[in-house]
Amino acid sequence: MSESGAGDAEAASQVPLAGLRVLDFSEQIAGPYCSKLFVDAGADVIKVERPGGDTMRSWSATGGAVEEGGGALFRYLNAGKRSVVGRPTDAHVRALFAEADLAIEAHGLESDGPVQLDVEALRRDNPDLVVLSITPYGCTGPWQGRRATEFTLQAESGSIGMRGVMGREPYQAGGRVSEWGAGAFGAVAALPAVLRARAGGGGEHVDLSMLEVANLILTNNSETMNRLMNGSAADPEHTFLAPTVETPSIEATADGYVGFCTNSRQQFLDFLLLIERPDLQEDEELAQFAGRLMRFEEWNEIMRPWLERTTTAEAIERASMFRIPVAPIGNGRTVLEHEQLAARGVFGPDASGAALQPRRPYRIDDSEPPPPARAPRLDEHGPAPRFEGARPDGTPASRDPLPLRGLRILDVTAWWAGPAATHVLAALGAEVLHVESARRLDGVRMLGGMMAGHYPTWWEASPHFLQTNANKRGITLDLSRPRGREVLASLVERCDAMVENFTPRVLDGFGFTWEKIRELNPRAVLMRMPAFGLSGPWRDHTGFAQTMEQLSGLAWVTGHADDQPRIPRGPCDPIAGMHGAFALLAALVGRARSGRGHHVESTMVESALNVAAEQLVEWTAYGNLLEREGNRSPLAAPQGLYPCAGGQPGAEVWVAISVANDAQWRALVDALENPAWANEDALAHHAGRRAAHDAIDRRLRDWTRAHSCESVVEELRRRGIAASPVADPSRLLQENVQMRARGYFEAPQHAVVGCMPVASVPFRYAGVERWLRTPAPTVGEHNAPVLRDWLGLSRDALDGLQRDGVIGSQPEGL
């Protein structure tokens, strides 16, 4: 290939979705972030706006002076798109539907602004069109069409009910993280459907529920965990879960804050060495998460002396030596100063030059992605735009209702982020083979230790493993042995993609570099999901979801204003998984066009920075730092949790109320029977209510304390105000009729835990009844069938591998 031809091929590999055509009717965050992911991969996106334009054009969370071309967050979300004003029934928009591959709508959140598509008519008139609907509750079930906000969805999903300091009001996860997560899940759900339509399999309606997204990313599988702790798949008699915080987590140092994470027992024992308390290593109660909570004050006193004499930089340096996940606490200003992010060039100017923004969170073939294009002016490309460029040739999808049927993916991942990526691909039909070692199990299995009293083989009872590994087959391979590496190499030769999420030194140490993978299988896609990237001074640092929340700024905006930052507890794992899954799918599209494999690097920290981007763009565009506000929001006032009748100190019954506009405020005043204080002129507008929030909260608490939660919710919903009870995250299958109606929890038959309900995926396809066809594998469950069917190994060869410890079905050392 000539030098110019090679350059063209490299450029094309960075935009594998070039020629794919998307119509975006959405506003705010979820829908625009979904279509941004398509733009970043090369798709042609036309933004169809109502005459006044997307409300986000004039938005600044901190009240910054918004430029004529749109606010900094609008520019970030809509860079590279084109704009046309119109309605779905207009002739020029109907013409675009006829050319489009995907149409995106997102409505029902905060306001009635965005248009709603007539999905049935669209699919009838355009049989190959895929329509993605992002709505608060989904398009089916008894709650469809109900008004909600991010805050009330977090309350109903169980998120708020699991997050809080003992004795204080629980609090939301900050940063509108469910909306960003919905955009990421929407992109992963829609792209395979588009590829199937391109293969001749017909269009699809992808129906995504933000309530289910919030549950999946923010509740740590609490529903399944509580049932396992009760020792039965039946509706639980006892609830073992309550609002808590992790510890050690974000801790005050001599000069600020530092964030730790001790997900494994070894990490906690090493933490005791770090704080110079080896004498406590035999304290079994402290070694358990629940034990530290029961002794919370004592445990904080144990940590305090070391923390008070240690700076943040010293804590990071020393914790890193112990390989304890650790990070500084970032925000919109300080993330710019982090040595790893600076060394990797994560941030760059938007096309206007007025703000910085994170680049897309994945790199293909070790090349930088294209710089962001300019966001469009309103109707800049009207009145009759057309899609540009030819549709791409080739597709990795099939015509099957499960569009990824026929793809083989080798899953060498552990914990949550990597398995979450391969889990959604398995749900969509890919054959996913999960690889672990009997000598060193997937670390997330260790969470099953809490269930040891009910399940002797407790490593099979980890709620996270059961959820993220459903539909996969599982084998064990000891890669420290030459024969184990030989078997893995043979599997690589027979797969379409390999996914791993260890620190870079692990895979490199086993010899499975990109060069080796390409030698074994020139068409394979290798996706690596390191915490901090394959280069830079933090390359080999360990990181988990908590670490990303601490560094990215998501923790900075979570928690009460008078308290320290608090981690949201988990969303960065599945969010990193969805970014990785989308990047892998895009690379597979690129392979279908180029005929060769690709090397994808999708980092956890850059995924987190993309969904925390509002903090960065507000700081760099306006010099304003977003802060945590407890349960309040710049979007709604009043908004918060309010105690209802029937509760008591320490066991309050909370209702979540979110007043998103002036009309809803007037409706609330009517519900309060028009008290004089509520009719002050200053309260008629959002800014006045934000300024008087404390006083309004006192009045609202007086009102809610006199009524039951059920009556408050019913009255406010009847008046069009978003209100929800704070749900118990461990009783949603029993109590949430919407989730039951949509079949969100599924219960495949498992050899150890039985028909245990686990969360599936937060979207529906019209032609798919259930997503979880098989349970998560037990240790080494499919050693024989996989190695026989994939590699043709004989019974004698399998017995030899078992005898030599290369494979096994019993964990060693437990």
Side-chain angles (χ1 to χ4, degrees):
M1 183 181 292
S2 68
E3 186 175 327
S4 62
D8 290 344
E10 180 180 318
S13 73
Q14 300 306 309
V15 288
L17 300 188
L20 195 145
R21 303 168 175 185
V22 180
L23 280 178
D24 183 5
F25 291 84
S26 65
E27 300 184 8
Q28 290 293 315
I29 288 175
Y33 188 62
C34 175
S35 61
K36 169 182 163 51
L37 292 175
F38 279 90
V39 167
D40 288 348
D44 185 9
V45 176
I46 296 178
K47 184 176 181 65
V48 183
E49 303 186 67
R50 48 191 171 138
D54 184 343
T55 53
M56 192 63 79
R57 285 184 174 274
S58 59
W59 171 256
S60 165
T62 62
V66 173
E67 301 84 350
E68 184 178 348
L73 185 59
F74 175 85
R75 298 198 306 271
Y76 170 69
L77 288 167
N78 295 283
K81 302 175 187 178
R82 294 186 285 156
S83 171
V84 60
V85 168
R87 302 183 185 281
T89 54
D90 292 345
H92 66 289
V93 178
R94 292 201 309 271
L96 290 171
F97 278 124
E99 299 177 355
D101 297 299
L102 172 66
I104 300 171
E105 64 167 351
H107 54 78
L109 202 64
E110 273 102 35
S111 70
D112 292 324
V115 298
Q116 298 185 32
L117 302 178
D118 186 338
V119 177
E120 185 176 341
L122 276 177
R123 294 192 63 208
R124 183 179 61 246
D125 296 341
N126 305 276
D128 292 327
L129 180 68
V130 174
V131 179
L132 169 63
S133 300
I134 302 175
T135 61
Y137 301 102
C139 298
T140 62
W143 293 0
Q144 60 172 308
R146 176 183 288 178
R147 186 184 301 277
T149 67
E150 158 96 13
F151 178 64
T152 59
L153 286 175
Q154 284 200 35
E156 284 178 303
S157 73
S159 166
I160 293 177
M162 62 165 284
R163 189 182 303 102
V165 179
M166 188 178 300
R168 294 204 63 179
E169 176 185 307
Y171 51 85
Q172 66 180 328
R176 301 173 71 175
V177 68
S178 299
E179 296 179 57
W180 294 96
F185 270 97
V188 174
L191 180 54
V194 169
L195 299 176
R196 184 187 66 190
R198 296 292 314 283
E204 182 62 81
H205 182 207
V206 183
D207 170 15
L208 185 140
S209 160
M210 295 184 66
L211 175 69
E212 293 167 12
V213 170
N215 175 265
L216 191 59
I217 71 174
L218 291 171
T219 68
N220 277 289
N221 291 294
S222 294
E223 177 73 37
T224 305
M225 183 179 294
N226 195 55
R227 289 170 187 263
L228 289 166
M229 293 175 75
N230 276 274
S232 171
D235 288 345
E237 180 180 355
H238 304 289
T239 296
F240 293 99
L241 306 174
T244 57
V245 295
E246 290 189 16
T247 179
S249 180
I250 297 176
E251 309 298 342
T253 64
D255 61 350
Y257 291 107
V258 67
F260 301 106
C261 167
T262 57
N263 280 351
S264 72
R265 183 186 184 90
Q266 187 60 55
Q267 288 166 352
F268 179 73
L269 295 178
D270 289 341
F271 183 80
L272 292 176
L273 295 177
L274 173 72
I275 65 171
E276 301 170 6
R277 293 301 305 268
D279 56 299
L280 297 174
Q281 288 193 321
E282 301 301 319
D283 190 324
E284 186 58 34
E285 192 171 57
L286 279 183
Q288 304 297 323
F289 173 71
R292 295 194 293 277
L293 291 179
M294 288 188 291
R295 296 163 62 181
F296 191 73
E297 295 302 324
E298 176 193 353
W299 169 242
N300 278 280
E301 288 302 316
I302 289 169
M303 291 189 291
R304 185 168 289 118
W306 185 85
L307 290 164
E308 286 181 343
R309 66 175 184 267
T310 306
T311 66
T312 295
E314 291 168 343
I316 291 171
E317 180 181 7
R318 296 175 193 176
S320 298
M321 293 173 65
F322 283 100
R323 299 199 60 75
I324 298 168
V326 64
I329 308 308
N331 58 38
R333 175 179 58 82
T334 61
V335 291
L336 296 169
E337 303 164 3
H338 193 272
E339 59 176 341
Q340 175 70 2
L341 307 179
R344 283 176 56 83
V346 170
F347 306 118
D350 67 11
S352 74
L356 296 178
Q357 62 182 51
R359 68 185 177 194
R360 77 181 185 196
Y362 60 90
R363 301 169 79 245
I364 299 176
D365 296 337
D366 199 25
S367 296
E368 290 299 311
R374 182 174 58 81
R377 296 185 296 274
L378 180 63
D379 204 30
E380 179 178 350
H381 303 93
R386 285 291 180 265
F387 285 107
E388 298 173 347
R391 285 189 167 104
D393 295 327
T395 173
S398 72
R399 298 185 183 188
D400 194 274
L402 298 172
L404 301 186
R405 184 88 73 185
L407 279 176
R408 269 187 176 178
I409 297 174
L410 194 57
D411 176 7
V412 193
T413 69
W415 290 94
W416 193 2
T422 51
H423 171 260
V424 72
L425 303 177
L428 289 162
E431 181 181 5
V432 176
L433 178 60
H434 181 263
V435 182
E436 57 188 324
S437 169
R439 293 179 62 188
R440 189 180 179 87
L441 297 180
D442 183 337
V444 84
R445 284 187 181 273
M446 297 302 101
L447 297 182
M450 294 184 292
M451 326 304 171
H454 295 293
Y455 303 98
T457 54
W458 50 263
W459 50 87
E460 306 293 2
S462 162
H464 291 70
F465 190 90
L466 292 170
Q467 192 268 322
T468 58
N469 292 286
N471 291 324
K472 301 177 187 178
R473 295 204 282 175
I475 67 169
T476 54
L477 280 180
D478 185 350
L479 298 182
S480 68
R481 302 174 188 268
R483 186 66 178 119
R485 296 192 292 275
E486 291 173 11
V487 172
L488 185 66
S490 296
L491 294 171
V492 169
E493 293 174 343
R494 292 160 174 81
C495 71
D496 293 287
M498 176 176 171
V499 182
E500 69 89 21
N501 71 330
F502 297 98
T503 53
R505 64 187 181 87
V506 174
L507 200 67
D508 293 349
F510 289 131
F512 287 93
T513 62
W514 168 233
E515 290 73 24
K516 180 64 174 177
I517 299 295
R518 188 166 48 184
E519 174 189 322
L520 291 168
N521 184 347
R523 285 182 54 81
V525 172
L526 172 64
M527 183 171 75
R528 307 188 68 175
M529 299 178 63
F532 296 102
L534 298 176
S535 63
W538 280 45
R539 174 184 187 271
D540 288 316
H541 283 220
T542 303
F544 288 82
Q546 298 97 318
T547 321
M548 306 308 136
E549 293 159 16
Q550 291 157 358
L551 177 56
S552 67
L554 288 174
W556 182 261
V557 293
T558 298
H560 294 296
D562 62 349
D563 189 22
Q564 66 179 64
R566 300 285 181 180
I567 57 171
R569 295 182 65 185
C572 285
D573 268 323
I575 284 174
M578 291 313 102
H579 286 93
F582 186 82
L584 177 62
L585 289 169
L588 287 167
V589 175
R591 184 189 72 167
R593 302 173 71 174
S594 68
R596 63 180 179 88
H598 296 285
H599 180 204
V600 180
E601 175 195 11
S602 182
T603 70
M604 283 190 74
V605 70
E606 292 183 44
S607 295
L609 289 164
N610 267 254
V611 302
E614 186 167 24
Q615 295 184 60
L616 176 69
V617 300
E618 287 286 326
W619 173 257
T620 57
Y622 312 119
N624 297 332
L625 194 64
L626 275 168
E627 303 280 1
R628 55 195 168 278
E629 293 190 79
N631 289 314
R632 296 179 181 178
S633 165
L635 285 162
Q639 175 175 289
L641 296 185
Y642 302 92
C644 295
Q648 54 188 336
E652 288 84 359
V653 177
W654 299 102
V655 62
I657 300 173
S658 188
V659 177
N661 55 45
D662 296 343
Q664 290 177 28
W665 170 251
R666 290 192 293 273
L668 176 61
V669 172
D670 287 343
L672 298 174
E673 298 182 348
N674 286 291
W677 68 265
N679 283 291
E680 295 177 8
D681 291 344
L683 303 184
H685 303 290
H686 176 81
R689 295 194 298 277
R690 283 275 283 170
H693 214 307
D694 288 345
I696 295 173
D697 281 352
R698 287 192 292 271
R699 300 284 191 169
L700 281 180
R701 289 189 190 106
D702 290 341
W703 179 67
T704 58
R705 283 192 181 102
H707 300 82
S708 69
C709 180
E710 293 78 6
S711 65
V712 171
V713 169
E714 181 180 0
E715 175 67 15
L716 296 186
R717 284 178 177 168
R718 184 177 66 81
R719 296 175 181 272
I721 300 165
S724 300
V726 174
D728 182 337
S730 62
R731 291 184 176 271
L732 292 171
L733 186 55
Q734 293 167 262
E735 300 174 359
N736 191 299
V737 296
Q738 178 69 6
M739 288 182 174
R740 287 205 307 273
R742 285 175 58 84
Y744 168 62
F745 291 103
E746 298 185 28
Q749 177 70 44
H750 188 272
V752 173
V753 302
C755 292
M756 181 62 62
V758 295
S760 58
V761 292
F763 54 85
R764 300 292 173 272
Y765 277 14
V768 177
E769 273 191 39
R770 58 191 300 240
W771 292 111
L772 306 187
R773 301 170 295 282
T774 60
T778 57
V779 174
E781 179 178 354
H782 301 104
N783 284 343
V786 166
L787 299 182
R788 182 184 62 239
D789 297 346
W790 281 41
L791 305 185
L793 296 189
S794 66
R795 181 72 261 174
D796 287 346
L798 291 169
D799 289 344
L801 292 175
Q802 178 88 28
R803 186 171 54 252
D804 294 341
V806 175
I807 63 175
S809 56
Q810 291 294 320
E812 297 182 19
L814 296 181

